[in-house]
């Protein structure tokens, strides 16, 4: 997770890391975290894409499960 004040280069750092990782792996996920709802929605979508069972998704600890 990257967070900080606007204009300090968070997006540039994230894009740079994503490009480096792209050479090492074929999977990089970008999840918006402008607010808790968007972050949770992004984690839920990722969990479903990765095949996490619905009961684990419903448990509400997606960040821990996906990390």
């Amino acid at each position: 997770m990257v967070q900080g004040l606007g204009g300090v280069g968070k997006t540039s750092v994230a894009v740079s890391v994503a490009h480096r990782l792209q050479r090492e792996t074929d999977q990089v996920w970008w999840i918006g975290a402008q607010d808790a709802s968007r972050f949770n929605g992004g984690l839920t979508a990722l969990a479903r894409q990765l095949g996490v069972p619905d009961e684990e998704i419903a448990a509400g600890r997606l960040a821990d499960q996906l990390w």
Side-chain angles (χ1 to χ4, degrees), residues 35-53:
D35 54 53
S37 177
R38 191 171 298 196
F39 182 64
N40 288 328
L43 287 179
T44 300
L46 175 58
R48 287 199 170 111
Q49 184 176 356
L50 294 173
V52 174

Side-chain angles (χ1 to χ4, degrees), residues 3-26:
Q3 81 178 49
L5 297 173
V8 297
K10 297 178 299 294
T11 300
S12 296
V13 169
V15 169
S16 177
V17 169
H19 283 136
R20 287 184 200 159
L21 288 174
Q22 187 176 26
R23 287 176 263 186
E24 299 173 19
T25 183
D26 60 350

